[in-house]
Amino acid sequence: MITDKRRLDQKLIDFRGKCVHRWYNLSSETYLGRKMSFFPILSVNNYSEMLTKLGWYTWGVSIFCIVMLRQFVRPMTELSDYIDSVFPKEAADFLHLPISLIGVLALAILFALIAHAVKLHDRLSDLLRIRSEFDVNYVLYPLAIASGSTLSVAQFDKVRLSRKSLMGATFYAYVSSTKPVIDSHTITQALTNWSWFWICLEAITLLFATATILAVYGAWTPAALLLIACIVLLLLMRFFRLQSAAYAESQVAQVVRDETRRAAVAAEFNAL
């Protein structure tokens, strides 16, 4: 009996060792020849890392929101308690997690995965026209002017309609995290800044939805506190938005600094 227990303990130790080894491998996997952090807390070097960072922070905010809902909203309490009851206690002990947190973590993981799968920040951006307006006003119009293109009024109107193709041909062709033509440090700064912007946007969405549900169930005080948090995040978003404009201005200047690139960019606009 003692021998069997020792064998079981050894198997658990070996399994944990494999998990740690796998975690280490994930944290240093390469993406298109570059190191990609599995948990990029601060700086990001490419779009994939930005999505990973966004996913982690959205998961964290989801945990907070579900804890709040579990505290004040009975249906959420019942759902979380049900998940806790059906989750194997042995598995919770192995993960070193209190069984009372399993439901919260599981629901948060589910929402974070859904948000990642549908690219929630992109859907919100489309709804609020965040990226489209930024691309046109802070990237494409400045590029058209700085490159010396001779656009008519009608062609200027076409810039907005051809935003995606023009961004690819005149901007991302030179401002890419995988094959940067301009200063890569500027690209990293811009990506990191945008990652914080999208984190704030998704957090506001979750917090506002949670505050609305809490208000419906009569939990006015926590709902008000969450709305205050949304206001603070909106102010942070404004800061990151201004920073994004500054980075875009620098990147546009670097793109048109080279005569060959400037001519190629102008040709794309003149072809409209």
Side-chain angles (χ1 to χ4, degrees):
M1 188 70 178
I2 296 176
T3 303
D4 291 341
K5 186 177 184 304
R6 287 177 178 174
R7 288 177 180 175
L8 179 60
D9 291 342
Q10 185 61 45
K11 287 181 179 179
L12 288 174
I13 292 172
D14 293 341
F15 180 73
R16 286 175 181 171
K18 290 179 181 179
C19 288
V20 171
H21 180 69
R22 177 57 181 160
W23 177 271
Y24 175 80
N25 287 339
L26 281 171
S27 66
S28 59
E29 285 180 354
T30 58
Y31 178 77
L32 295 177
R34 290 188 171 195
K35 288 289 183 180
M36 183 179 70
S37 173
F38 185 65
F39 189 20
I41 302 176
L42 299 176
S43 178
V44 296
N45 296 312
N46 52 59
Y47 183 69
S48 181
E49 283 192 358
M50 187 180 77
L51 291 180
T52 302
K53 175 181 177 179
L54 184 57
W56 278 110
Y57 279 90
T58 298
W59 180 58
V61 176
S62 299
I63 292 175
F64 174 77
C65 291
I66 292 170
V67 168
M68 294 291 289
L69 292 173
R70 182 178 181 177
Q71 185 74 21
F72 298 100
V73 179
R74 185 171 182 80
M76 179 60 73
T77 304
E78 293 174 350
L79 176 60
S80 180
D81 289 344
Y82 173 75
I83 296 174
D84 293 343
S85 66
V86 299
F87 193 83
K89 187 178 183 303
E90 294 78 8
D93 292 339
F94 173 73
L95 296 172
H96 299 290
L97 291 173
I99 194 68
S100 59
L101 286 180
I102 296 299
V104 172
L105 295 177
L107 291 171
I109 290 173
L110 177 62
F111 184 84
L113 288 175
I114 293 173
H116 183 79
V118 303
K119 292 186 178 179
L120 180 60
H121 72 288
D122 274 347
R123 305 291 76 78
L124 293 170
S125 176
D126 292 341
L127 178 65
L128 301 173
R129 299 180 61 83
I130 294 173
R131 192 71 211 212
S132 61
E133 291 300 315
F134 183 89
D135 289 348
V136 170
N137 295 316
Y138 291 92
V139 178
L140 293 179
Y141 283 164
L143 272 174
I145 296 170
S147 65
S149 61
T150 55
L151 293 182
S152 64
V153 175
Q155 285 176 311
F156 258 104
D157 292 336
K158 288 182 180 179
V159 169
R160 189 176 297 275
L161 298 175
S162 306
R163 176 181 68 89
K164 290 185 178 180
S165 60
L166 283 174
M167 285 293 293
T170 66
F171 188 69
Y172 292 128
Y174 313 107
V175 185
S176 169
S177 60
T178 55
K179 295 180 180 179
V181 175
I182 66 170
D183 181 15
S184 60
H185 181 62
T186 307
I187 298 173
T188 299
Q189 286 180 316
L191 279 172
T192 300
N193 188 76
W194 274 111
S195 71
W196 289 118
F197 181 90
W198 299 127
I199 286 170
C200 289
L201 179 62
E202 289 197 359
I204 288 172
T205 303
L206 292 177
L207 293 175
F208 183 80
T210 303
T212 302
I213 296 172
L214 290 174
V216 169
Y217 280 83
W220 296 104
T221 300
L225 292 175
L226 292 184
L227 291 178
I228 292 173
C230 288
I231 294 173
V232 173
L233 289 173
L234 279 172
L235 294 175
L236 285 175
M237 281 183 66
R238 177 60 179 169
F239 169 77
F240 293 129
R241 173 69 171 67
L242 293 174
Q243 285 290 99
S244 296
Y247 290 134
E249 181 181 358
S250 173
Q251 290 170 335
V252 166
Q254 291 182 59
V255 169
V256 299
R257 188 174 299 161
D258 178 81
E259 185 176 345
T260 302
R261 294 198 298 264
R262 184 166 62 249
V265 169
E268 292 289 340
F269 284 107
N270 290 332
L272 290 174

